[in-house]
Amino acid sequence: MISLFGKSAELQLEKDVSTRYLPVVIAAMIFLAALAIGGLFSLHNAIGNWSETLTGNLTVEIAYDPAADLDKKVAEAVKLLSETPGVTSARAIGKEETHALLAPFLGKNAALDELPVPRLIEVIIEEGNAVDLRALNEKLAGAVPGASLDIHRPWLNKMVTLGHSVQLLAAAIMLLIGVVTVIIVIFAVRTGLVMHAEVIQVLHLIGAHDKYIAEQFQNYFSRLSFLGALPGLVVAVIVMFIFNFLVGSLESSMLPPLTLEPAGIVALLLLPFLIALLTRFTVRLVVMRSLARMM
Amino acid sequence: MVRFENVGMRYGMGPEVLRDISFHLSPGSFHFLTGPTGAGKSSLLKLLALSHRPSRGLVTLFNKEVSTLVRDDLPAMRRKIGVVYQEFRLLDHLSAMDNVALPLKIAGAKDARIYQHVAELLEWVGLGNQIDAKPPTLSGGEKQRVAIARAVINRPQLLIADEPTGSMDAEMGLRLMHLFQELNKIGTTVVVATHDLDMIQRFGNPVMFLKDGLLTTRGPEKLPRHFSENGA
């Protein structure tokens, strides 16, 4: 670590004005990267949760009909479903529970009793059992007028596709951040090479290898990147906490909170080291190539 | 030791600043290099110091032809060459001791050995009491002696000095030339580029005379009495 972050004894890169703002730029990049990672992992978790919840989970909807005895219809449907092979359970969802499900969208004070709310039955399919859902739907509609089977799959598929698209976008943002960081570092290093050309020439003439000079640039720029990354990461974590707090305080939010799980936390903690390594590799490449053009 | 055969040199696509240069320096010799301003002395020194490659011809240093050297060979070759610049080229933020120690440090010598040698050498050039001084606090003559110490700390086989006495008074210049003579006596090949014809006459060593990019070797007695303002 000492050699990784050692000072540039001869080149005095620490005194360069041109690189003074590099940590600020790196901090901004790491802030964006950390948020992208947060989004990436949160979406991954959310998609997993949606799939887990909705796979093998069906809903039977019995349309609102003021003239019909809805409780009787529900009982008939539950009986039919419970007797169907492959169905683990069929549970009628009570009025109050239905109202609780609607509350996030309509508000707690909405006059739900006055609305034509359909009656719902939660159906759990036995794991690994292939129930013919189309046949079941037809059978149900014949036995209980107004009943229909909602298998959630089309909605889930759309949500999963959306989730994956946003994940791809987050990954693309990460890539873009990496590319921009590399370009900024390249410009800063080239400026440094020009500013210190005379000392570099002296070092060469007294027998310095290119890698001796490159190491001074590598150490200095890695240190700048690492030190810039830390505040960027801290601010991003604070922003994530604030976001989660705001999401939690919303009554009818469809937004998933930012949840990272261990893999996401490790990815965030690795960010400063990865940016330092990326900088080190970039600087070495640029310096070695530039020095190779000298005698 | 050093052999130039029909060497030419140009900067970029510009005209040749050195043309058909051929000479041979035997080990342990002492040569002056002189000529009017713009004659190509600095360019010739750049070729000797391996800071530039020739445009044509063969340059052989320490029995190796320069054009055949790969990049990784250059540092080891350069450690056999000590260069003293007119403008010193010391690192201002380093002390005299650290400036002189730099070639050893770069060569990977151990710290204890480095500082023992450096202290002895600074004593030898008369700067034993200035080892912690930084270049901006030193006089021109003192800076030049630090530069000389840095050039010889690696015990180079070839020592090149570009106008080493240009920035100091005659007495200090003479003392520096005696330092070069001492180094020459212990086997170092020395090339000193200078405009100072009186000094060349005084020391009597062979002279390489450059004019309009062409080189001739002659005795000090066959030099012009002075160089004119326009470099003729």
Side-chain angles (χ1 to χ4, degrees):
Chain A
M1 193 61 82
I2 288 167
S3 104
L4 181 65
F5 295 120
K7 287 196 172 182
S8 57
E10 287 89 37
L11 292 171
Q12 288 272 289
L13 296 165
E14 293 80 6
K15 292 188 176 170
D16 281 1
V17 181
S18 62
T19 55
R20 198 162 289 171
Y21 299 105
L22 188 65
V24 179
V25 178
I26 296 287
M29 292 295 158
I30 289 297
F31 171 75
L32 295 174
L35 290 187
I37 285 180
L40 209 66
F41 278 91
S42 298
L43 271 171
H44 180 75
N45 292 338
I47 291 169
N49 288 340
W50 295 333
S51 300
E52 200 177 301
T53 309
L54 297 178
T55 303
N57 188 320
L58 312 173
T59 306
V60 169
E61 185 181 310
I62 296 168
Y64 179 76
D65 181 357
D69 182 353
L70 288 179
D71 286 337
K72 191 183 167 200
K73 279 190 176 184
V74 167
E76 282 171 5
V78 167
K79 186 169 180 289
L80 187 148
L81 290 163
S82 302
E83 289 167 356
T84 304
V87 172
T88 304
S89 72
R91 182 179 71 86
I93 296 173
K95 266 187 177 178
E96 285 183 3
E97 202 179 337
T98 307
H99 291 171
L101 288 170
L102 290 170
F105 304 96
L106 302 176
K108 281 178 184 168
N109 300 323
L112 294 169
D113 283 334
E114 294 165 20
L115 293 174
V117 178
R119 299 295 295 273
L120 303 172
I121 300 165
E122 183 190 32
V123 182
I124 308 290
I125 302 290
E126 199 178 298
E127 204 173 323
N129 201 316
V131 176
D132 185 344
L133 296 175
R134 180 174 288 186
L136 180 60
N137 190 26
E138 283 171 6
K139 190 178 168 188
L140 194 63
V144 183
S148 65
L149 197 61
D150 182 358
I151 58 171
H152 309 300
R153 184 50 62 185
W155 179 83
L156 179 63
N157 283 346
K158 281 180 189 168
M159 288 302 285
V160 169
T161 305
L162 176 69
H164 285 315
S165 305
V166 178
Q167 272 187 310
L168 272 178
L169 187 68
I173 289 171
M174 290 280 293
L175 188 69
L176 187 68
I177 289 167
V179 170
V180 171
T181 306
V182 165
I183 291 171
I184 290 167
V185 169
I186 288 173
F187 274 105
V189 172
R190 286 196 173 157
T191 307
L193 282 166
V194 172
M195 287 175 71
H196 298 279
E198 204 172 314
V199 179
I200 290 170
Q201 195 185 19
V202 171
L203 292 176
H204 266 153
L205 289 178
I206 58 179
H209 277 279
D210 289 347
K211 64 182 178 186
Y212 180 91
I213 296 162
E215 269 173 18
Q216 299 203 15
F217 277 92
Q218 286 169 221
N219 294 342
Y220 173 65
F221 280 94
S222 304
R223 187 169 71 243
L224 281 191
S225 288
F226 187 78
L227 296 179
L230 291 179
L233 184 61
V234 170
V235 173
V237 169
I238 292 170
V239 167
M240 284 183 209
F241 273 114
I242 293 171
F243 178 80
N244 278 355
F245 174 75
L246 292 175
V247 167
S249 68
L250 289 175
E251 276 188 1
S252 56
S253 176
M254 279 288 286
L255 290 170
L258 285 167
T259 47
L260 290 169
E261 309 232 333
I265 293 167
V266 170
L268 278 188
L269 292 176
L270 282 177
L271 262 183
F273 297 98
L274 289 176
I275 198 79
L277 276 177
L278 178 68
T279 304
R280 193 170 176 80
F281 177 75
T282 306
V283 171
R284 184 172 184 87
L285 208 65
V286 173
V287 174
M288 292 297 276
R289 282 192 176 175
S290 300
L291 295 182
R293 284 195 286 270
M294 298 178 182
M295 166 76 183
Chain B
M1 167 66 72
V2 179
R3 184 179 293 278
F4 277 49
E5 291 171 69
N6 299 314
V7 171
M9 182 186 163
R10 65 174 82 232
Y11 294 99
M13 300 299 286
E16 274 200 325
V17 291
L18 294 175
R19 291 181 288 148
D20 297 321
I21 304 289
S22 296
F23 66 88
H24 171 246
L25 302 180
S26 50
S29 60
F30 190 129
H31 285 76
F32 284 109
L33 173 65
T34 194
T37 304
K41 293 192 294 297
S42 295
S43 299
L44 184 55
L45 293 184
K46 282 176 185 171
L47 292 179
L48 280 171
L50 290 176
S51 109
H52 278 67
R53 287 184 193 274
S55 312
R56 62 183 173 90
L58 296 178
V59 174
T60 308
L61 290 175
F62 316 113
N63 300 319
K64 284 187 181 167
E65 211 281 294
V66 168
S67 66
T68 64
L69 295 175
V70 294
R71 189 158 184 79
D72 281 346
D73 294 335
L74 289 173
M77 289 285 277
R78 284 171 176 151
R79 286 172 200 168
K80 295 178 184 175
I81 305 166
V83 188
V84 181
Y85 302 95
Q86 184 179 4
E87 67 278 21
F88 321 122
R89 294 209 192 178
L90 299 172
L91 306 192
D92 283 350
H93 62 279
L94 298 182
S95 66
M97 177 166 262
D98 287 333
N99 263 292
V100 177
L102 201 50
L104 289 177
K105 191 181 152 199
I106 284 171
K110 295 229 164 65
D111 269 10
R113 192 185 144 229
I114 289 176
Y115 290 103
Q116 184 194 339
H117 280 235
V118 172
E120 287 169 10
L121 191 56
L122 282 170
E123 195 71 48
W124 182 68
V125 295
L127 290 173
N129 56 346
Q130 300 267 42
I131 57 173
D132 292 323
K134 293 193 173 170
T137 66
L138 299 172
S139 69
E142 287 168 335
K143 283 181 195 171
Q144 195 61 288
R145 281 182 279 162
V146 175
I148 291 168
R150 185 181 67 182
V152 302
I153 187 76
N154 262 339
R155 299 193 180 165
Q157 295 174 39
L158 173 64
L159 180 65
I160 304 161
D162 187 7
E163 300 284 0
T165 58
S167 57
M168 58 193 70
D169 58 48
E171 189 191 332
M172 183 56 72
L174 211 55
R175 283 174 61 187
L176 281 179
M177 289 309 298
H178 285 303
L179 268 178
F180 289 136
Q181 273 193 322
E182 284 186 53
L183 288 165
N184 180 239
K185 278 179 195 162
I186 57 171
T188 309
T189 306
V190 179
V191 178
V192 177
T194 182
H195 269 105
D196 190 341
L197 295 175
D198 290 340
M199 183 173 285
I200 294 173
Q201 301 286 358
R202 182 194 289 258
F203 282 83
N205 295 96
V207 181
M208 296 188 287
F209 185 77
L210 255 178
K211 190 176 176 188
D212 299 329
L214 292 165
L215 184 83
T216 51
T217 306
R218 56 182 77 174
E221 68 285 353
K222 291 186 179 168
L223 286 175
R225 291 177 70 89
H226 58 85
F227 297 120
S228 66
E229 290 290 317
N230 63 7

